Amino acid sequence: MDAFVLLGSFFVLMIIGVPVAYSLGLASLIGALWIDIPLDAVMIQLAAGVNKFSLLAIPFFVLAGAIMAEGGMARRLVAFAGVLVGFIRGGLSLVNILASTFFGAISGSSVADTASVGTVLIPEMEKRGYPRSFAAAVTVSGSVQAILIPPSHNAVLYSLAAGGTVSIAALFMAGVLPGLLMGLTLAALCLFIARKNDYPKGEVIPLRQALKICGEAMWGLMTMVIILGGILSGVFTANESASIAVLWAFFVTMFVYRDYRWRDLPKLVHRTVKTVTVVMILIGFAACFGYLMTLMQIPLKVTEFFTSVSDNKYVILMMINVMLLVLGTLMDMSPLILICTPILLPVVKMLGVDPVHFGMIMMVNLGIGLITPPVGTVLFVGSAVAKLKIGVVTKAMMPFFTALIIVLVMVTYLPWLSLWLPRLLGL
């Protein structure tokens, strides 16, 4: 009954239109009153939830991504991807996927990826003879890579939700191979569709122009080297790498590219602060909600339920995948990570699943949720950028959903994809 009161009040509040963060907070208060614990205890958990040093990485990564997205870096990365693969039949779709790979490795945000790459490539693809709906579908599905490829601030959230027991550096490295696998799978699908529909080839860029494009793009690509190289070499932590990324992004945008106006910078910082404020409120209330779930022994009960259905690890992982895919269509990624991780992590640990591997399973699952109606944030952004109805883009994305599900199955049942690189690096 305790679990029913807590979870039931949360879903009722969401259904009547209360924002997710406040639904978590109000449901926590209702749950605390129901089991008769002091509200002071809930407030202590709220403060403790946001009073974590590791959370400093989130605002810095968000700000770095915002500076890069609006400072001309996306356009240069698109041009660089065009040098590499733009001359192939259907090459602009491959450019789109590759540009998302590069930009995701810099911004760590699918929304920023879709908005930046889509603004450049969707009109260009339509101009070259690609259907606008296909261009939007490629952009939206390709941006899911940003969830996996480091630096992903969702990996920081997962580490937090796991109680800080999972290394952020290990999660960053664990996302590299699944992220590249996703990009290659989507690229193969684009090649198949391009050949089937006889989409146009691009032109080979002259050497002199190609060298200029590569030189300009290298300033942006250096961000990856700074972030990952610094963490792996032990020169600085994830938090410090995020702050260094902001300084580098600011330097490149304002002094090298010089495409961004100084007077627009305060507005960009203001938008970043608003985004981070929402995330921090969500984290604080999720900490309260998790505290109540622990007191009510909900993770234990969920574990007992799964093990009563089957004792086969692969069957239980399939059930968890189906559940997360369904939840991902109804809620945004961040709250689901914060809510589901404390519930599901004990289940998979008991089955012998590595927490880093499970983190990648969650990332792929909930990344698919970001592009799936009715609550697909990235899908909404892609549709708005393409100026198309959500139903039109969703229909065009059906083959891409299939490709992403194949990637999910591979990440779930081939743990070495997630664990090989962190173990190689001793993380």
Side-chain angles (χ1 to χ4, degrees), residues 72-86 91-92 94-100 102-103 113 116-122 124-125 205 213 217 221:
M73 199 172 289
R75 176 167 51 82
R76 288 169 172 86
L77 291 174
V78 167
F80 178 61
V83 171
L84 298 178
V85 295
L92 267 186
L94 299 186
V95 169
N96 199 319
I97 298 294
L98 188 57
S100 290
F102 290 145
F103 194 75
D113 191 327
S116 303
V117 175
T119 302
V120 177
L121 273 177
I122 291 177
E124 185 65 21
M125 288 179 71
I205 297 174
I213 290 170
L221 294 174

Side-chain angles (χ1 to χ4, degrees), residues 148-229:
L148 298 169
I149 297 174
S152 168
H153 58 259
N154 288 293
V156 179
L157 285 180
Y158 174 77
S159 175
L160 170 72
T165 58
V166 184
S167 163
I168 294 174
L171 289 168
F172 278 2
M173 290 300 100
V176 172
L177 288 183
L180 294 177
L181 172 66
M182 183 177 291
L184 289 171
T185 304
L186 292 173
L189 176 61
C190 287
L191 283 174
F192 173 76
I193 294 174
R195 289 187 178 279
K196 180 181 177 183
N197 297 318
D198 197 28
Y199 290 154
K201 285 185 178 182
E203 297 178 358
V204 177
I205 297 174
L207 179 60
R208 191 169 195 157
Q209 186 181 350
L211 290 174
K212 180 183 177 184
I213 290 170
C214 293
E216 290 184 346
M218 285 304 121
W219 289 98
L221 294 174
M222 274 297 295
T223 311
M224 293 186 289
V225 178
I226 291 170
I227 293 173
L228 298 182

